[in-house]
Amino acid sequence: MPVTIADVARQAGVSKTTVSRVLNTRGEVDAGTAARVREVIAALGYVPSSGAVGLARGSSRTVAMLTPPLTWPWMGEVLQGVVDTVEAAGYGLLLFTCNRGRESVEHFAGQVSARAFDGLLVVEPEGTLDTITAMHRKGLPVVLIDDRGHHPEFPSVATTNREGGASAARHLLADGRSRPLIVTGRPDFGCVRERLEGFLDVLPTDRVVGGDFTEVSGRLATERFLATGRAFDSVFAHNDLSAVGVLRALRAAGRSVPDDIAVVGFDDIPMAQHTEPPLTTVRQPMRRMGERAAGMLLAHLAGTPAPVEPVVLPTELIARASAPA
């Protein structure tokens, strides 16, 4: 059986609260008692949990993260950045995913009511922003990752979506491509509007077709546009998954990439390096976004005021064979 804080308290002849105060180096415990508690901890080999360490300060030393399903292709990078930062600070992480819609949200809300964690990181599951905002207004510290243009009233970390779209257009224009097709993402996402506006600022076109960020939508959108007979020499897809669909549709139609048509995606998910040909894309710094958001939340919990304005990290165009430099 693992040694518990109760075992330490019993052996040292003190309360669990006293043990917790020693663990937290609080000054309320006299030196002799503190020394005795530390001797017992060493003798028993007790390893304090985050809950025990936080008992005296009214803190669980645990943060939570609420996300859409982890099947989102860049979710792993965000999560790794969060984990690296949280663990380095000696905090635990509770992960909640909205795989079951409203049921998942209700379960999560119960954990908030139970004060199971000190603060929350969010990659917004669809339809949850109002619920999260209400929790924040009641005192829950929140940092949003990838705000999708919603600009919430609590701190957020985002990327330069508009500039990312513009960089894709500049790259294609420099290669002599003047008749681009754009395959957009979901129109209710602010990042989609920003990527589209940034691209059109540099390289105007009326060849714009709707998608939903999936491989299937990229393939079908390209097939439909090919069927119109209108000429195009390049494609800007609003994420890498839809760009994969674009590549498949072009290959099936006998179009060579990049000789006939250049293709640029957005995100730089791991798959982008392994498509045929490898995909030129606009890289979002997803791991850095996770690190920065977690750092902001931990600093806020330690007493540093959260930034009022969104923190915006730069995108970067990564040139590969689908649209070489």
Side-chain angles (χ1 to χ4, degrees):
M1 293 290 290
V3 178
T4 68
I5 192 171
D7 296 327
V8 174
R10 188 180 308 108
Q11 184 73 18
V14 298
S15 69
K16 290 190 291 184
T17 298
T18 297
V19 175
S20 184
R21 286 174 176 166
V22 172
L23 291 169
N24 281 278
T25 64
R26 296 281 292 268
E28 295 92 335
V29 183
D30 71 77
T33 300
R36 184 168 74 254
V37 169
R38 292 191 188 99
E39 289 174 1
V40 172
I41 288 172
L44 297 180
Y46 172 62
V47 178
S49 68
S50 59
V53 172
L55 179 61
R57 68 180 67 164
S59 161
S60 67
R61 289 193 67 81
T62 300
V63 297
M65 186 171 181
L66 178 65
T67 75
L70 297 180
T71 51
W72 279 34
W74 46 257
M75 199 65 242
E77 283 294 297
V78 175
L79 183 57
Q80 191 62 58
V82 169
V83 169
D84 290 345
T85 304
V86 166
E87 289 187 348
Y91 272 70
L93 179 68
L94 292 174
L95 181 63
F96 299 90
T97 61
C98 280
N99 293 313
R100 301 187 307 278
R102 175 51 53 184
E103 182 182 349
S104 295
V105 174
E106 289 174 354
H107 172 69
F108 168 72
Q111 297 299 304
V112 175
S113 299
R115 308 183 71 84
F117 49 85
D118 302 327
L120 176 65
L121 297 162
V122 181
V123 178
E124 182 199 339
E126 186 174 0
T128 62
L129 187 58
D130 288 346
T131 299
I132 295 162
T133 300
M135 293 175 178
H136 172 69
R137 289 173 178 170
K138 292 179 179 178
L140 177 67
V142 177
V143 177
L144 183 64
I145 304 170
D146 185 25
D147 73 3
R148 303 183 195 166
H150 290 164
H151 307 301
E153 62 188 53
F154 44 81
S156 64
V157 178
T159 56
T160 52
N161 284 293
R162 189 179 188 115
E163 170 55 27
S167 69
R170 287 193 295 267
H171 183 77
L172 292 173
L173 198 57
D175 191 37
R177 313 283 178 161
S178 59
R179 295 174 295 175
L181 167 67
I182 302 175
V183 179
T184 70
R186 290 177 43 174
D188 55 321
F189 281 16
C191 63
V192 169
R193 296 188 294 273
E194 292 170 358
R195 292 171 194 178
L196 179 61
E197 291 166 357
F199 189 96
L200 295 177
D201 285 345
V202 176
L203 186 51
T205 181
D206 62 354
R207 303 171 184 85
V208 180
V209 293
D212 64 5
F213 286 136
T214 63
E215 182 274 334
V216 171
S217 75
R219 176 173 55 82
L220 293 178
T222 306
E223 289 173 352
R224 287 194 297 268
F225 198 84
L226 285 166
T228 69
R230 295 185 65 191
F232 61 103
D233 59 13
S234 53
V235 181
F236 173 44
H238 274 186
N239 77 336
D240 291 344
L241 272 186
S242 57
V244 170
V246 171
L247 290 173
R248 289 176 176 167
L250 293 174
R251 183 164 54 248
R255 305 294 182 91
S256 174
V257 177
D259 294 340
D260 298 330
I261 299 173
V263 178
V264 178
F266 206 107
D267 283 340
D268 197 27
I269 62 175
M271 182 191 301
Q273 301 180 54
H274 305 293
T275 56
E276 182 53 46
L279 183 64
T280 293
T281 186
V282 179
R283 174 180 292 165
Q284 292 200 85
M286 304 312 304
R287 185 173 297 204
R288 283 180 55 211
M289 289 172 72
E291 293 169 348
R292 188 67 178 271
M296 287 165 56
L297 181 61
L298 294 175
H300 178 61
L301 294 176
T304 301
V308 176
E309 297 296 324
V311 172
V312 182
L313 302 179
T315 52
E316 177 188 6
L317 190 131
I318 305 298
R320 299 191 180 101
S322 72

